[in-house]
Amino acid sequence: MRNTIIAVMALFSAQLTAQNTLYNNGSFQMHTDAKLGCFGDFMNDGTMTENNGKLYLVGDSGGQLFSGSGSFIFDSVVVNTSDDIIIEQEFKIAKNVNFTSGNLITDRAAIVSEFVHFLAGSNYNGASDASFI
């Protein structure tokens, strides 16, 4: 049920906030101008379609985990968290990552599956000693 609600709200360019673990077991796509604030973990065992929405990573102490069997793809991402975001599956960026605070952490030993993939034409801004991959 949670996945259906997210898809419908994103379709209408709404804002949605996920406090706990967000699960995708089907097909996930954010539409133009949709905004998703993610405070908890995100498990993707379904498919994600390139989208035109913006993901806000705004968790606090305890970190966030992006995992599952499917890769992630987001148009734009804002990293503004007080802790690390652990990437355990391919994390694709179609347009932009804006770093404010917090880090995207990948496992170099698992570089084939756990990495941030900047697609052609994408970029980042704001990276610093306080916020980076």
Side-chain angles (χ1 to χ4, degrees), residues 36-115:
L36 172 61
C38 187
F39 288 83
D41 298 342
F42 195 144
M43 180 178 283
N44 181 28
D45 285 327
T47 60
M48 295 187 82
T49 304
E50 186 174 341
N51 57 73
N52 294 309
K54 186 177 279 190
L55 173 68
Y56 291 86
L57 299 174
V58 289
D60 49 20
S61 63
Q64 292 175 266
L65 176 67
F66 278 68
S67 63
S69 60
S71 63
F72 294 88
I73 184 166
F74 296 102
D75 189 52
S76 296
V77 176
V78 175
V79 179
N80 189 13
T81 178
S82 61
D83 213 334
D84 292 336
I85 299 151
I86 309 298
I87 307 297
E88 290 189 346
Q89 190 55 272
E90 182 180 13
F91 194 94
K92 299 176 189 173
I93 306 299
K95 287 191 180 172
N96 184 59
V97 176
N98 183 13
F99 291 95
T100 303
S101 66
N103 305 312
L104 298 177
I105 305 297
T106 62
D107 184 353
R108 288 176 23 161
I111 195 70
V112 173
S113 62
E114 298 178 24
F115 62 98

Side-chain angles (χ1 to χ4, degrees), residues 15-56:
Q15 289 181 284
L16 178 66
T17 303
Q19 296 283 54
N20 296 313
T21 300
L22 181 64
Y23 296 93
N24 175 37
N25 294 326
S27 180
F28 182 93
Q29 179 178 10
M30 292 171 50
H31 291 274
T32 302
D33 297 327
K35 297 175 183 169
L36 172 61
C38 187
F39 288 83
D41 298 342
F42 195 144
M43 180 178 283
N44 181 28
D45 285 327
T47 60
M48 295 187 82
T49 304
E50 186 174 341
N51 57 73
N52 294 309
K54 186 177 279 190
L55 173 68
Y56 291 86

